[in-house]
């Protein structure tokens, strides 16, 4: 939708205005003719209208030019410029901007209430769409960002306990998904979303303590599982080495006893007090 408006270097037009004004004034004084005076007055009015076309464009800024309600184009060149006279010029910033959404309370994919917020980094790339496609592009982006964050939270669990399932705690994947969704939503307003990332994620206060206990239990189970897997491997290795080197011959009952003792030692969470047997093990 954006197109470039007609523009000329403002200093050249200003110089031309001064020259024409000087010639008209000098001619009026030199001739003292009423007709020439009327012509000079008309020239003066025209020059005043011409001067209404002057505008200043700052770096990373665009001016949307309208002529009696009609969009005639945008000016993105920084400097002192002259555009169509009697036109209105709306300022649109092209700088990179960011804002953080409010902390939203929503239910995740598992139905657990969570608090979530995100920061969105964006910039305007089409000043025509930003000015005319939506009523207020800043408000539009804020509302669409909150909607995208809510949708993201409802389609992913806070914490995934299944292999291959993305959770809200998977920062890079979730940020990429949120950025893509926001880009689709804000393209209508001529805005490019550079990055969108979650800045706050927590269980709602009413279930936070219960979920903390659940997380701790899950960690304990995971740790115990790893310990048991390592202990079983170590016991098997010990029995194999003893058999290979012929250190001692064990029947099935003695092997079971040895496995039990080793598992107690390796899997226990407290130090084990050894018992020294000075006699025969079959006594």
């Amino acid at each position: 939708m954006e197109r470039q408006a007609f523009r000329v270097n403002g200093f050249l037009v200003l110089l031309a205005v001064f020259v024409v004004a000087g010639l008209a004034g000098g001619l009026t004084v030199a001739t003292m003719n009423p007709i020439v005076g009327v012509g000079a007055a008309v020239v003066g009015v025209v020059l005043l209208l011409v001067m209404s076309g002057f505008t200043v464009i700052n770096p990373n800024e665009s001016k949307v030019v309208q002529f009696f309600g009609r969009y005639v184009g945008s000016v993105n060149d920084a400097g002192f410029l002259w555009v169509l006279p009697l036109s209105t010029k709306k300022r649109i910033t092209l700088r990179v901007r960011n804002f953080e959404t409010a902390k939203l309370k929503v239910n995740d994919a598992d139905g657990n209430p969570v608090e979530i917020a995100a920061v969105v980094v964006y910039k305007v790339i089409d000043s025509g769409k930003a000015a005319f496609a939506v009523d207020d592009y800043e408000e539009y982006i804020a509302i669409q960002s909150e909607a995208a964050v809510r949708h993201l939270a409802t389609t992913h669990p806070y914490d995934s306990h299944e292999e291959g399932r993305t959770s809200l705690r998977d920062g890079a994947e979730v940020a990429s998904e949120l950025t893509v969704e926001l880009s689709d939503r804000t393209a209508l307003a001529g805005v490019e979303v550079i990055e969108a990332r979650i800045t706050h994620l927590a269980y709602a206060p009413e279930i936070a303590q219960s979920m903390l206990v659940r997380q701790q239990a899950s960690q304990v189970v995971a740790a115990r599982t790893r310990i048991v897997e390592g202990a079983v491997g170590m016991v098997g290795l010990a029995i194999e080495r003893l058999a290979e080197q012929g250190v001692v011959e064990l029947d099935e009952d003695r092997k079971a006893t040895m496995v039990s003792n080793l598992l107690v030692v390796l899997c226990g969470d407290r130090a084990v007090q050894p018992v020294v047997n000075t006699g025969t093990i079959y006594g």
Side-chain angles (χ1 to χ4, degrees), residues 163-246:
E163 189 70 23
R165 188 183 185 190
T166 304
S167 70
L168 295 175
R169 298 177 66 183
D170 297 329
E173 297 180 16
V174 172
S176 177
E177 184 175 339
L178 182 59
T179 301
V180 171
E181 181 173 352
L182 268 177
S183 298
D184 295 338
R185 289 173 177 263
T186 58
L188 175 65
V191 171
E192 177 189 6
V193 177
I194 300 174
E195 183 184 21
R197 189 174 295 275
I198 293 178
T199 56
H200 175 78
L201 180 63
Y203 282 113
E206 58 266 26
I207 67 165
Q209 187 61 36
S210 300
M211 288 302 174
L212 178 60
V213 174
R214 176 182 174 182
Q215 289 179 349
Q216 291 174 342
S218 299
Q219 295 298 325
V220 170
V221 170
R224 288 296 180 184
T225 301
R226 294 291 299 274
I227 292 174
V228 170
E229 290 176 355
V232 170
M234 294 173 65
V235 170
L237 179 61
I239 293 176
E240 290 179 3
R241 291 291 180 85
L242 290 173
E244 289 176 0
Q245 298 179 12

Coordinates of all heavy atoms in Angstrom, one line a residue, residues 163-246:
E163 N 7.6 -37.2 25.9 CA 8.7 -37.0 25.0 C 8.2 -36.4 23.7 O 7.2 -36.8 23.1 CB 9.4 -38.3 24.7 CG 10.7 -38.2 23.9 CD 11.8 -37.6 24.7 OE1 11.8 -37.6 25.9 OE2 12.7 -37.0 24.0
G164 N 8.8 -35.3 23.2 CA 8.5 -34.7 21.9 C 7.3 -33.6 22.1 O 6.9 -33.1 21.0
R165 N 6.8 -33.4 23.2 CA 5.8 -32.4 23.4 C 6.4 -31.1 23.9 O 7.0 -31.0 24.9 CB 4.7 -32.9 24.4 CG 3.5 -32.0 24.5 CD 2.5 -32.6 25.6 NE 1.3 -31.8 25.6 CZ 0.4 -31.9 26.6 NH1 0.5 -32.8 27.5 NH2 -0.7 -31.2 26.5
T166 N 6.1 -30.0 23.2 CA 6.6 -28.7 23.5 C 5.9 -28.1 24.7 O 4.6 -28.1 24.7 CB 6.6 -27.8 22.3 OG1 7.2 -28.3 21.2 CG2 7.2 -26.4 22.6
S167 N 6.6 -27.6 25.6 CA 6.0 -26.9 26.8 C 6.3 -25.4 26.7 O 7.2 -25.0 26.0 CB 6.5 -27.5 28.1 OG 7.8 -27.2 28.3
L168 N 5.6 -24.6 27.6 CA 5.9 -23.2 27.7 C 7.3 -22.9 28.2 O 7.8 -21.8 28.0 CB 4.8 -22.6 28.6 CG 3.4 -22.6 28.1 CD1 2.4 -22.0 29.1 CD2 3.2 -21.8 26.8
R169 N 7.9 -23.8 28.8 CA 9.3 -23.6 29.3 C 10.4 -23.8 28.3 O 11.5 -23.5 28.5 CB 9.5 -24.5 30.5 CG 8.5 -24.3 31.7 CD 8.7 -25.3 32.8 NE 10.0 -25.1 33.4 CZ 10.5 -25.9 34.4 NH1 9.7 -26.9 34.9 NH2 11.7 -25.6 35.0
D170 N 10.0 -24.3 27.1 CA 11.0 -24.5 26.0 C 11.1 -23.1 25.3 O 10.4 -22.8 24.3 CB 10.5 -25.5 25.0 CG 10.4 -26.9 25.7 OD1 11.2 -27.2 26.6 OD2 9.5 -27.7 25.2
G171 N 12.0 -22.3 25.8 CA 12.1 -20.9 25.4 C 12.2 -20.6 24.0 O 11.5 -19.9 23.4
A172 N 13.2 -21.3 23.3 CA 13.5 -21.0 21.9 C 12.3 -21.4 21.0 O 11.9 -20.6 20.1 CB 14.8 -21.7 21.5
E173 N 11.8 -22.6 21.2 CA 10.7 -23.0 20.3 C 9.4 -22.2 20.5 O 8.8 -21.8 19.6 CB 10.4 -24.5 20.6 CG 11.6 -25.4 20.3 CD 11.2 -26.9 20.6 OE1 10.1 -27.2 20.8 OE2 12.2 -27.7 20.7
V174 N 9.1 -21.9 21.8 CA 7.9 -21.1 22.1 C 8.1 -19.7 21.5 O 7.1 -19.1 21.0 CB 7.7 -21.1 23.6 CG1 6.6 -20.1 23.9 CG2 7.3 -22.5 24.1
A175 N 9.3 -19.1 21.7 CA 9.5 -17.7 21.1 C 9.4 -17.7 19.6 O 8.8 -16.8 19.1 CB 10.9 -17.2 21.6
S176 N 9.9 -18.7 18.9 CA 9.8 -18.8 17.5 C 8.3 -18.9 17.1 O 7.9 -18.2 16.1 CB 10.6 -19.9 17.0 OG 10.4 -20.1 15.6
E177 N 7.6 -19.7 17.7 CA 6.1 -19.9 17.4 C 5.4 -18.6 17.7 O 4.5 -18.3 16.9 CB 5.6 -21.1 18.2 CG 4.1 -21.4 17.9 CD 3.7 -22.6 18.7 OE1 4.5 -23.4 19.1 OE2 2.4 -22.8 18.8
L178 N 5.6 -18.0 18.8 CA 4.9 -16.7 19.1 C 5.3 -15.6 18.1 O 4.4 -14.9 17.7 CB 5.3 -16.3 20.5 CG 4.7 -15.0 21.0 CD1 3.1 -15.1 21.0 CD2 5.2 -14.6 22.4
T179 N 6.5 -15.5 17.6 CA 6.9 -14.5 16.7 C 6.2 -14.8 15.3 O 5.7 -13.8 14.7 CB 8.5 -14.6 16.5 OG1 9.1 -14.3 17.7 CG2 8.9 -13.5 15.5
V180 N 6.1 -16.0 14.9 CA 5.5 -16.3 13.6 C 4.0 -16.0 13.7 O 3.4 -15.3 12.8 CB 5.7 -17.8 13.3 CG1 4.8 -18.2 12.1 CG2 7.1 -18.1 13.0
E181 N 3.3 -16.3 14.8 CA 1.9 -16.0 14.9 C 1.7 -14.5 15.0 O 0.7 -14.0 14.3 CB 1.3 -16.7 16.2 CG -0.1 -16.5 16.4 CD -0.7 -17.3 17.5 OE1 0.0 -18.1 18.1 OE2 -1.9 -17.0 17.8
L182 N 2.5 -13.8 15.7 CA 2.3 -12.3 15.8 C 2.6 -11.7 14.4 O 1.9 -10.7 14.1 CB 3.2 -11.8 16.8 CG 2.7 -11.6 18.2 CD1 3.7 -11.1 19.2 CD2 1.5 -10.7 18.2
S183 N 3.5 -12.2 13.7 CA 3.8 -11.6 12.3 C 2.6 -11.8 11.4 O 2.3 -10.9 10.7 CB 5.0 -12.3 11.7 OG 6.2 -12.1 12.5
D184 N 2.0 -12.9 11.5 CA 0.8 -13.1 10.7 C -0.4 -12.2 11.1 O -1.1 -11.6 10.3 CB 0.3 -14.6 10.8 CG 1.3 -15.5 10.2 OD1 2.1 -15.1 9.4 OD2 1.3 -16.7 10.6
R185 N -0.5 -12.0 12.4 CA -1.6 -11.1 12.9 C -1.3 -9.6 12.6 O -2.3 -8.9 12.4 CB -1.7 -11.3 14.4 CG -2.3 -12.7 14.9 CD -2.2 -12.8 16.4 NE -2.8 -14.0 16.9 CZ -4.1 -14.1 17.3 NH1 -4.9 -13.1 17.3 NH2 -4.6 -15.3 17.7
T186 N -0.1 -9.2 12.6 CA 0.2 -7.7 12.5 C 0.6 -7.3 11.1 O 0.8 -6.1 10.9 CB 1.3 -7.3 13.5 OG1 2.5 -8.1 13.2 CG2 0.9 -7.6 14.9
A187 N 0.7 -8.3 10.1 CA 1.0 -7.9 8.8 C 0.0 -6.9 8.2 O 0.3 -6.0 7.4 CB 1.1 -9.1 7.9
L188 N -1.3 -7.0 8.6 CA -2.3 -6.1 8.1 C -2.0 -4.7 8.5 O -2.4 -3.8 7.7 CB -3.7 -6.5 8.7 CG -4.9 -5.7 8.4 CD1 -5.2 -5.7 6.9 CD2 -6.1 -6.1 9.2
A189 N -1.3 -4.4 9.6 CA -1.1 -3.1 10.0 C 0.3 -2.5 9.5 O 0.7 -1.5 9.9 CB -1.1 -3.0 11.5
G190 N 0.9 -3.3 8.6 CA 2.2 -2.8 8.1 C 3.4 -2.9 9.1 O 4.3 -2.1 9.0
V191 N 3.3 -3.9 10.0 CA 4.3 -4.0 11.1 C 5.0 -5.3 11.0 O 4.5 -6.3 10.6 CB 3.6 -3.9 12.5 CG1 4.5 -4.2 13.6 CG2 3.0 -2.5 12.7
E192 N 6.3 -5.2 11.2 CA 7.2 -6.4 11.2 C 7.5 -6.7 12.6 O 8.1 -5.9 13.4 CB 8.4 -6.2 10.4 CG 9.4 -7.4 10.4 CD 10.7 -7.1 9.8 OE1 11.0 -5.9 9.4 OE2 11.6 -8.0 9.7
V193 N 7.2 -7.9 13.1 CA 7.6 -8.4 14.4 C 9.0 -9.0 14.4 O 9.2 -10.0 13.7 CB 6.6 -9.4 15.0 CG1 7.0 -9.9 16.3 CG2 5.2 -8.8 15.1
I194 N 9.9 -8.3 15.0 CA 11.3 -8.8 15.0 C 11.5 -9.9 16.0 O 12.2 -10.9 15.7 CB 12.3 -7.6 15.4 CG1 12.1 -6.5 14.3 CG2 13.7 -8.1 15.4 CD1 12.9 -5.2 14.7
E195 N 10.9 -9.8 17.2 CA 11.1 -10.9 18.2 C 10.0 -10.8 19.2 O 9.5 -9.7 19.5 CB 12.5 -10.8 18.9 CG 12.7 -11.8 19.9 CD 14.0 -11.6 20.7 OE1 14.5 -10.5 20.7 OE2 14.5 -12.6 21.2
A196 N 9.6 -11.9 19.6 CA 8.6 -12.0 20.7 C 9.0 -13.1 21.7 O 9.3 -14.3 21.2 CB 7.2 -12.3 20.2
R197 N 9.2 -12.8 22.9 CA 9.7 -13.7 23.9 C 9.0 -13.6 25.2 O 8.6 -12.5 25.7 CB 11.2 -13.5 24.1 CG 12.0 -14.5 24.9 CD 13.5 -14.2 24.8 NE 14.0 -14.3 23.5 CZ 14.4 -15.5 23.0 NH1 14.3 -16.6 23.7 NH2 14.9 -15.5 21.7
I198 N 8.8 -14.8 25.9 CA 8.1 -14.8 27.2 C 9.1 -14.3 28.2 O 10.2 -14.7 28.3 CB 7.7 -16.3 27.5 CG1 6.6 -16.7 26.5 CG2 7.2 -16.4 28.9 CD1 6.1 -18.1 26.8
T199 N 8.6 -13.3 29.0 CA 9.4 -12.7 30.1 C 8.9 -13.2 31.5 O 9.7 -13.0 32.4 CB 9.3 -11.2 30.0 OG1 7.9 -10.8 30.0 CG2 9.9 -10.7 28.7
H200 N 7.7 -13.7 31.6 CA 7.2 -14.1 32.9 C 6.3 -15.4 32.7 O 5.5 -15.4 31.8 CB 6.3 -13.0 33.5 CG 5.7 -13.4 34.8 ND1 6.4 -13.5 36.0 CD2 4.4 -13.9 35.1 CE1 5.6 -13.9 37.0 NE2 4.4 -14.2 36.4
L201 N 6.6 -16.4 33.5 CA 5.9 -17.6 33.4 C 5.9 -18.3 34.8 O 6.9 -18.5 35.3 CB 6.5 -18.6 32.4 CG 5.8 -19.9 32.2 CD1 4.4 -19.7 31.7 CD2 6.6 -20.8 31.3
A202 N 4.7 -18.5 35.3 CA 4.6 -19.1 36.7 C 3.2 -19.6 36.8 O 2.2 -19.2 36.2 CB 4.9 -18.0 37.7
Y203 N 3.1 -20.6 37.7 CA 1.7 -21.1 38.1 C 1.0 -20.0 38.8 O 1.6 -19.2 39.5 CB 1.8 -22.4 38.9 CG 2.2 -23.6 38.1 CD1 3.4 -24.3 38.3 CD2 1.2 -24.1 37.2 CE1 3.7 -25.4 37.6 CE2 1.5 -25.3 36.5 CZ 2.8 -25.9 36.7 OH 3.0 -27.1 36.0
A204 N -0.3 -20.0 38.7 CA -1.1 -19.1 39.5 C -0.9 -19.3 41.0 O -0.7 -20.5 41.4 CB -2.6 -19.2 39.1
P205 N -1.1 -18.3 41.8 CA -0.8 -18.5 43.3 C -1.6 -19.6 43.9 O -1.1 -20.2 44.9 CB -1.1 -17.1 43.8 CG -1.0 -16.1 42.7 CD -1.4 -16.9 41.5
E206 N -2.8 -19.8 43.5 CA -3.7 -20.8 44.2 C -3.2 -22.2 44.0 O -3.5 -23.1 44.8 CB -5.1 -20.7 43.7 CG -5.3 -20.8 42.2 CD -5.3 -19.5 41.5 OE1 -4.7 -18.6 42.0 OE2 -5.9 -19.5 40.4
I207 N -2.4 -22.5 43.0 CA -1.9 -23.9 42.8 C -0.4 -23.9 42.8 O 0.2 -25.0 42.5 CB -2.4 -24.5 41.5 CG1 -1.8 -23.7 40.3 CG2 -3.9 -24.5 41.4 CD1 -2.0 -24.5 39.0
A208 N 0.3 -22.8 43.0 CA 1.7 -22.8 42.9 C 2.4 -23.8 43.9 O 3.3 -24.5 43.6 CB 2.3 -21.4 43.2
Q209 N 1.9 -23.8 45.2 CA 2.5 -24.7 46.2 C 2.3 -26.1 45.8 O 3.2 -27.0 45.9 CB 1.9 -24.4 47.5 CG 2.6 -25.1 48.7 CD 4.1 -24.8 48.8 OE1 4.4 -23.6 48.6 NE2 4.9 -25.7 49.2
S210 N 1.1 -26.5 45.3 CA 0.8 -27.9 45.0 C 1.7 -28.3 43.8 O 2.2 -29.4 43.7 CB -0.6 -28.0 44.6 OG -1.5 -27.7 45.7
M211 N 1.9 -27.4 42.8 CA 2.7 -27.7 41.6 C 4.2 -27.8 42.0 O 4.9 -28.6 41.4 CB 2.5 -26.7 40.6 CG 1.1 -26.8 39.9 SD 0.9 -28.4 39.2 CE -0.8 -28.3 38.6
L212 N 4.6 -27.0 43.0 CA 6.0 -27.1 43.5 C 6.2 -28.5 44.1 O 7.3 -29.1 43.8 CB 6.3 -26.0 44.5 CG 7.7 -26.0 45.1 CD1 8.7 -25.9 44.0 CD2 7.8 -24.9 46.1
V213 N 5.3 -29.0 44.9 CA 5.4 -30.3 45.4 C 5.5 -31.4 44.3 O 6.3 -32.3 44.4 CB 4.3 -30.6 46.4 CG1 4.3 -32.0 46.9 CG2 4.3 -29.6 47.6
R214 N 4.6 -31.2 43.3 CA 4.6 -32.1 42.2 C 5.9 -32.1 41.4 O 6.4 -33.2 41.1 CB 3.4 -31.8 41.3 CG 3.3 -32.6 40.0 CD 2.2 -32.1 39.1 NE 2.2 -32.9 37.9 CZ 1.4 -32.6 36.9 NH1 0.4 -31.7 37.0 NH2 1.4 -33.3 35.8
Q215 N 6.4 -30.9 41.2 CA 7.7 -30.9 40.5 C 8.8 -31.5 41.3 O 9.7 -32.2 40.8 CB 8.1 -29.4 40.2 CG 7.2 -28.8 39.1 CD 7.6 -27.3 38.9 OE1 8.3 -26.7 39.7 NE2 7.0 -26.7 37.9
Q216 N 8.8 -31.3 42.6 CA 9.9 -31.9 43.5 C 9.7 -33.4 43.5 O 10.7 -34.1 43.4 CB 9.7 -31.3 44.9 CG 10.1 -29.9 45.0 CD 9.8 -29.3 46.4 OE1 9.1 -29.9 47.2 NE2 10.5 -28.2 46.8
A217 N 8.5 -33.9 43.5 CA 8.3 -35.3 43.4 C 8.8 -35.9 42.1 O 9.4 -37.0 42.1 CB 6.8 -35.7 43.7
S218 N 8.5 -35.2 41.0 CA 8.9 -35.7 39.7 C 10.5 -35.7 39.6 O 11.0 -36.7 39.1 CB 8.4 -34.7 38.6 OG 7.0 -34.8 38.6
Q219 N 11.1 -34.7 40.2 CA 12.6 -34.7 40.2 C 13.1 -35.8 41.1 O 14.1 -36.5 40.7 CB 13.1 -33.3 40.7 CG 12.7 -32.2 39.8 CD 13.3 -32.3 38.5 OE1 14.4 -32.8 38.3 NE2 12.6 -31.8 37.4
V220 N 12.5 -36.1 42.2 CA 13.0 -37.2 43.0 C 12.8 -38.5 42.3 O 13.7 -39.4 42.3 CB 12.2 -37.2 44.4 CG1 12.5 -38.5 45.2 CG2 12.6 -36.0 45.2
V221 N 11.7 -38.7 41.7 CA 11.5 -40.0 40.9 C 12.5 -40.1 39.8 O 13.1 -41.2 39.6 CB 10.0 -40.0 40.4 CG1 9.9 -41.2 39.4 CG2 9.0 -40.1 41.5
A222 N 12.7 -39.0 39.1 CA 13.7 -39.0 38.0 C 15.1 -39.4 38.5 O 15.8 -40.2 37.9 CB 13.7 -37.7 37.2
A223 N 15.5 -38.7 39.6 CA 16.8 -39.0 40.2 C 16.9 -40.4 40.7 O 17.9 -41.1 40.4 CB 17.0 -38.0 41.4
R224 N 15.9 -41.0 41.3 CA 15.9 -42.4 41.8 C 16.0 -43.3 40.6 O 16.7 -44.4 40.7 CB 14.6 -42.6 42.6 CG 14.6 -42.0 44.0 CD 15.7 -42.5 44.8 NE 15.8 -41.9 46.2 CZ 16.7 -42.2 47.1 NH1 17.7 -43.0 46.8 NH2 16.7 -41.6 48.2
T225 N 15.3 -43.0 39.5 CA 15.4 -43.9 38.3 C 16.8 -43.9 37.8 O 17.3 -45.0 37.5 CB 14.4 -43.3 37.3 OG1 13.1 -43.3 37.8 CG2 14.4 -44.2 36.0
R226 N 17.4 -42.8 37.7 CA 18.8 -42.8 37.3 C 19.7 -43.6 38.2 O 20.6 -44.3 37.8 CB 19.3 -41.4 37.1 CG 18.6 -40.5 36.1 CD 19.0 -41.0 34.7 NE 20.4 -40.9 34.4 CZ 21.0 -39.8 34.0 NH1 20.3 -38.8 33.7 NH2 22.3 -39.8 33.8
I227 N 19.5 -43.4 39.5 CA 20.3 -44.1 40.5 C 20.2 -45.7 40.4 O 21.1 -46.4 40.4 CB 20.0 -43.7 41.9 CG1 20.5 -42.2 42.1 CG2 20.7 -44.6 43.0 CD1 20.0 -41.6 43.4
V228 N 18.9 -46.1 40.2 CA 18.6 -47.5 40.1 C 19.3 -48.1 38.8 O 19.9 -49.2 38.8 CB 17.1 -47.8 40.1 CG1 16.8 -49.2 39.8 CG2 16.6 -47.5 41.5
E229 N 19.1 -47.3 37.7 CA 19.7 -47.8 36.4 C 21.2 -47.9 36.6 O 21.8 -48.9 36.1 CB 19.4 -46.8 35.3 CG 17.9 -46.8 34.9 CD 17.6 -45.7 33.9 OE1 18.6 -44.9 33.5 OE2 16.5 -45.7 33.4
G230 N 21.9 -47.0 37.2 CA 23.3 -47.1 37.4 C 23.7 -48.2 38.4 O 24.7 -48.9 38.1
A231 N 22.9 -48.4 39.4 CA 23.2 -49.4 40.4 C 23.1 -50.8 39.8 O 23.9 -51.7 40.0 CB 22.3 -49.3 41.6
V232 N 22.1 -51.0 39.0 CA 21.9 -52.3 38.3 C 23.1 -52.6 37.4 O 23.6 -53.7 37.4 CB 20.6 -52.4 37.6 CG1 20.5 -53.6 36.7 CG2 19.4 -52.3 38.5
G233 N 23.5 -51.6 36.7 CA 24.7 -51.8 35.8 C 25.9 -52.1 36.6 O 26.7 -53.0 36.2
M234 N 26.1 -51.5 37.7 CA 27.3 -51.7 38.5 C 27.3 -53.1 39.2 O 28.3 -53.8 39.2 CB 27.4 -50.6 39.6 CG 27.7 -49.2 39.1 SD 27.6 -47.9 40.3 CE 29.0 -48.4 41.3
V235 N 26.1 -53.5 39.6 CA 26.0 -54.9 40.2 C 26.3 -55.9 39.2 O 27.0 -56.9 39.4 CB 24.6 -55.1 40.8 CG1 24.4 -56.5 41.2 CG2 24.4 -54.1 42.0
G236 N 25.7 -55.8 38.0 CA 26.0 -56.7 36.9 C 27.4 -56.8 36.6 O 28.0 -57.9 36.4
L237 N 28.1 -55.6 36.5 CA 29.5 -55.6 36.2 C 30.3 -56.2 37.3 O 31.3 -57.0 37.0 CB 29.9 -54.1 36.0 CG 31.4 -53.9 35.7 CD1 31.8 -54.5 34.3 CD2 31.7 -52.4 35.6
A238 N 30.0 -56.0 38.5 CA 30.7 -56.6 39.6 C 30.6 -58.2 39.6 O 31.6 -58.9 39.7 CB 30.2 -56.1 41.0
I239 N 29.4 -58.7 39.3 CA 29.3 -60.2 39.3 C 30.0 -60.7 38.1 O 30.7 -61.8 38.2 CB 27.8 -60.5 39.2 CG1 27.1 -60.1 40.5 CG2 27.6 -62.0 38.9 CD1 25.6 -60.3 40.5
E240 N 30.0 -60.0 37.0 CA 30.7 -60.5 35.8 C 32.2 -60.5 36.0 O 32.9 -61.5 35.7 CB 30.4 -59.6 34.6 CG 29.0 -59.8 34.0 CD 28.7 -58.9 32.9 OE1 29.6 -58.2 32.4 OE2 27.5 -58.9 32.4
R241 N 32.7 -59.5 36.6 CA 34.2 -59.4 36.9 C 34.6 -60.5 37.9 O 35.7 -61.1 37.7 CB 34.5 -58.0 37.4 CG 34.4 -56.9 36.4 CD 35.5 -57.1 35.3 NE 35.4 -56.0 34.3 CZ 36.0 -54.8 34.5 NH1 36.7 -54.5 35.6 NH2 35.9 -53.9 33.5
L242 N 33.8 -60.7 38.9 CA 34.1 -61.8 39.9 C 34.2 -63.1 39.2 O 35.0 -64.0 39.5 CB 33.1 -61.8 41.0 CG 33.2 -60.6 42.0 CD1 32.0 -60.6 43.0 CD2 34.5 -60.6 42.7
A243 N 33.2 -63.4 38.3 CA 33.2 -64.7 37.6 C 34.3 -64.8 36.7 O 35.0 -65.9 36.5 CB 31.9 -64.8 36.9
E244 N 34.7 -63.7 35.9 CA 35.8 -63.8 35.0 C 37.1 -64.0 35.6 O 38.0 -64.8 35.2 CB 35.8 -62.5 34.2 CG 34.7 -62.3 33.2 CD 34.7 -61.0 32.5 OE1 35.6 -60.2 32.8 OE2 33.8 -60.7 31.6
Q245 N 37.4 -63.3 36.7 CA 38.7 -63.5 37.4 C 38.7 -64.6 38.4 O 39.8 -64.9 39.0 CB 39.0 -62.1 38.1 CG 39.1 -60.9 37.2 CD 39.3 -59.6 37.9 OE1 39.7 -59.6 39.1 NE2 39.2 -58.5 37.2
G246 N 37.6 -65.3 38.6 CA 37.6 -66.5 39.5 C 37.9 -66.1 40.9 O 38.5 -66.9 41.7

